[in-house]
Amino acid sequence: MHNTRYAPNGMVCSVDHLASAAGVAALDRGGSAADAAIAANAVLAVVAPHMCGLGGDLFALVHDGSVTALNASGRAGSGADPARLRAEGRTRMPHLHDIRSVPVPGCVDGWLALHARHGRLPMTELLRPAIGLARDGFPASPLMVAGARTAAGRPGGGDFAGVRAAGDRVTRPGVARALQAVADGGRDGFYLGEFGQGLIELGDGEYTAADLAAPTADWVEPLRVRAFGHDVWSMPPNSQGYLLLMSLAILDGLGLPGSPRHPAWAHLLAEAARAAGHDRPALLHEDAKDLLDPGEIARRRALVQPAGRLRVPVPASDGDTTYLCAVDGDGMGVSLIQSNASGFGGMLFEPRTGINLHNRGIGFSLRPGHPAEYGPGRRPPHTLAPALITRPGGALRTVVGTMGGDAQPQILAQIITRLLHHGEEPGQALAAPRWRLAGGGTGFDTWDAPDDVVLDLEEGTTWADGLAALGHPVRTLPYGGSFGHAHLVDVRPDGMLAGAADPRSLVGAALGR
């Protein structure tokens, strides 16, 4: 149930064994960890449309002697008009079936930027396994089946019409053509080719050709905090990565119980998450600065009480994603997360290729003047928050991340605390039951009313009675993907790699060489 895999010369962990195998094959051919990550993500873009794809966004952290961060999240089109949505009586962005919640997808730009800086193998070679699976067919995963039935009923969702059970063969010829267009023509082959033209048509004024001609990937300065004797890194805004780092910095100054089985352990971690995140709707936008001020961290740490649940002020105003990580024999590590936001995304399909489109625009605000207000060329607040850990001297320790909507920082805080503070093995830290803070039900509304959140506990925890006595509203849910799919590779001091894929993913794999 909690197997850790070991390898001396490279490792790839992902939610699907086909993707992990493609990544390891790239390493075997002399590719870098970046090559492995691209090859694995390309396969996931084919076989895991219920989590990610060419119609979604991408973030990555890379350790190659130093830590760099890649933001490949798309921007709203030139036709973005918040006044029109408000005139329709909307107070928040449409969740499904509305092109206005679809920023220009950044995934392909992310691959190309990562490859340009860190790749060794030709892009054609990296995309070949994904193209073959899309053209010739792949087995439907158990997690795809339920969503595929819904997707098949949407315009453009015909690729999934024959999916009835796990193992059914699925082909995606339009996706194969799109991947081949990237291999042959780079970004123009994709954004200005068949996919781009179809997106403009579907958008009906939301996008212009200039919107698609502008690259969406930027190398940015990562954020960092010191916690549990290590440096933990994540993405800057528009990512919510600061919530993970603030939570860990708060925890590093608290007296945690010796065992994660103690209810006080879950209590303190949950309260650190609430102290860090309660005002996220007001603070998180693409231009946010100074979110990890030490004085502010100390102020929020003081809010956490060992003997009870804190009350936090109401702010002024089931996600699906996939995470993968790769480490190569030269020590480069890549922590990459790629997402549709909600399951198959907005349940909209680009009509020419059948690529399902993300709904990451749900992160925008419709409040006039809000710094994250929906508007042309803007990036929405993002739940995607990959993580990377270095030792005090700067050497790579861990690449880690998870899916899980708003709960991503909460899940990662639990895993990282288990790994760094309690010394658990990767497989043990990933398999252990988790908690999450739950809001209104979409997986993206946790912080709308932070005092009303319920503490969801995964089946198998030992915390329920103790947390209820401390004032937490709790409920128990089945063990599974509602609590994320996390993966990690840990680099031991002697260079041996120890990794694990989340057992909740059912077909995930940590593969090494």
Side-chain angles (χ1 to χ4, degrees):
M1 187 63 173
H2 47 81
N3 289 332
T4 300
R5 305 297 183 189
Y6 303 94
N9 297 313
M11 182 170 282
V12 181
C13 302
S14 84
V15 74
D16 194 290
H17 63 101
L18 296 172
S20 297
V24 171
L27 295 178
D28 284 340
R29 295 193 300 274
S32 66
D35 289 326
I38 293 166
N41 192 192
V43 168
L44 291 174
V46 174
V47 306
H50 53 300
M51 295 180 177
C52 69
L54 296 167
D57 279 351
L58 181 153
F59 289 85
L61 296 165
V62 181
H63 184 282
D64 187 20
S66 61
V67 181
T68 52
L70 178 63
N71 182 338
S73 61
R75 300 181 181 275
S78 295
D81 185 355
R84 180 182 171 193
L85 284 164
R86 288 192 288 263
E88 295 172 6
R90 297 182 185 271
T91 58
R92 59 173 55 201
M93 295 294 292
H95 191 70
L96 299 175
H97 311 142
D98 196 310
I99 196 66
R100 294 170 293 187
S101 291
V102 184
V104 175
C107 172
V108 170
D109 269 336
W111 291 348
L112 295 171
L114 186 60
H115 185 259
R117 182 172 287 197
H118 294 292
R120 298 175 191 161
L121 300 177
M123 183 65 79
T124 302
E125 189 172 339
L126 298 179
L127 299 184
R128 187 175 297 128
I131 292 169
L133 288 166
R135 181 190 61 235
D136 302 329
F138 61 90
S141 79
L143 298 177
M144 181 203 288
V145 174
R149 293 169 186 155
T150 303
R154 298 291 302 166
D159 288 353
F160 310 103
V163 178
R164 297 289 181 270
D168 286 348
R169 182 178 294 271
V170 185
T171 59
R172 305 186 70 194
V175 176
R177 294 196 307 273
L179 288 166
Q180 192 65 56
V182 176
D184 295 340
R187 85 168 309 277
D188 286 354
F190 181 72
Y191 289 101
L192 304 184
E194 185 181 20
F195 171 83
Q197 292 305 308
L199 185 63
I200 289 174
E201 293 166 9
L202 184 65
D204 191 25
E206 184 74 6
Y207 319 100
T208 66
D211 295 333
L212 274 67
T216 58
D218 300 306
W219 291 98
V220 297
E221 193 69 27
L223 298 182
R224 174 183 62 170
V225 297
R226 176 62 62 93
F228 304 127
H230 291 72
D231 288 320
V232 186
W233 305 75
S234 193
M235 296 295 304
N238 54 320
S239 163
Q240 68 168 348
Y242 82 96
L243 293 184
L244 167 64
L245 303 186
M246 183 179 284
S247 297
L248 290 171
I250 290 171
L251 288 169
D252 197 40
L254 300 175
L256 293 177
S259 170
R261 294 177 59 82
H262 197 290
W265 186 88
H267 166 70
L268 291 173
L269 266 71
E271 292 297 89
R274 294 179 69 232
H278 68 86
D279 52 358
R280 193 195 78 177
L283 294 186
L284 181 57
H285 55 88
E286 61 180 319
D287 298 317
K289 307 290 184 186
D290 301 322
L291 294 175
L292 295 174
D293 176 75
E296 182 62 15
I297 290 172
R299 186 189 73 80
R300 297 189 186 222
R301 184 185 295 122
L303 297 174
V304 177
Q305 301 299 316
R309 183 177 187 262
L310 65 90
R311 286 191 58 81
V312 292
V314 177
S317 66
D318 268 358
D320 279 295
T321 292
T322 192
Y323 171 81
L324 64 92
C325 48
V327 177
D328 63 29
D330 296 326
M332 179 191 294
V334 176
S335 180
L336 186 150
I337 192 163
Q338 208 260 298
S339 175
N340 292 331
S342 301
F344 277 82
M347 280 294 174
L348 295 173
F349 295 81
E350 186 280 303
R352 298 189 182 193
T353 62
I355 291 172
N356 49 305
L357 302 171
H358 67 165
N359 57 339
R360 188 53 66 180
I362 59 176
F364 283 122
S365 173
L366 286 181
R367 186 157 61 86
H370 191 285
E373 184 182 9
Y374 172 59
R378 295 194 58 77
R379 280 175 164 150
H382 243 283
T383 59
L384 300 186
L388 186 149
I389 303 169
T390 55
R391 300 182 189 277
L396 178 64
R397 164 72 195 261
T398 310
V399 281
V400 60
T402 186
M403 57 85 92
D406 284 348
Q408 287 183 35
Q410 302 155 34
I411 295 166
L412 288 177
Q414 294 169 73
I415 293 168
I416 291 171
T417 302
R418 288 177 176 276
L419 190 73
L420 300 184
H421 185 64
H422 298 286
E424 292 186 358
E425 285 288 290
Q428 182 182 6
L430 291 187
R434 299 168 185 158
W435 57 264
R436 68 173 189 184
L437 300 173
T442 68
F444 299 93
D445 50 15
T446 304
W447 304 114
D448 289 355
D451 265 335
D452 295 337
V453 295
V454 174
L455 198 52
D456 284 344
L457 306 180
E458 197 169 26
E459 207 168 43
T461 68
T462 56
W463 308 319
D465 291 343
L467 290 171
L470 290 167
H472 293 278
V474 299
R475 63 184 175 186
T476 299
L477 299 178
Y479 186 95
S482 295
F483 293 85
H485 297 150
H487 315 291
L488 73 86
V489 177
D490 201 42
V491 184
R492 296 188 165 191
D494 65 357
M496 186 64 70
L497 305 178
D502 202 314
R504 298 164 184 82
S505 65
L506 302 184
V507 294
L511 301 180
R513 62 185 296 272

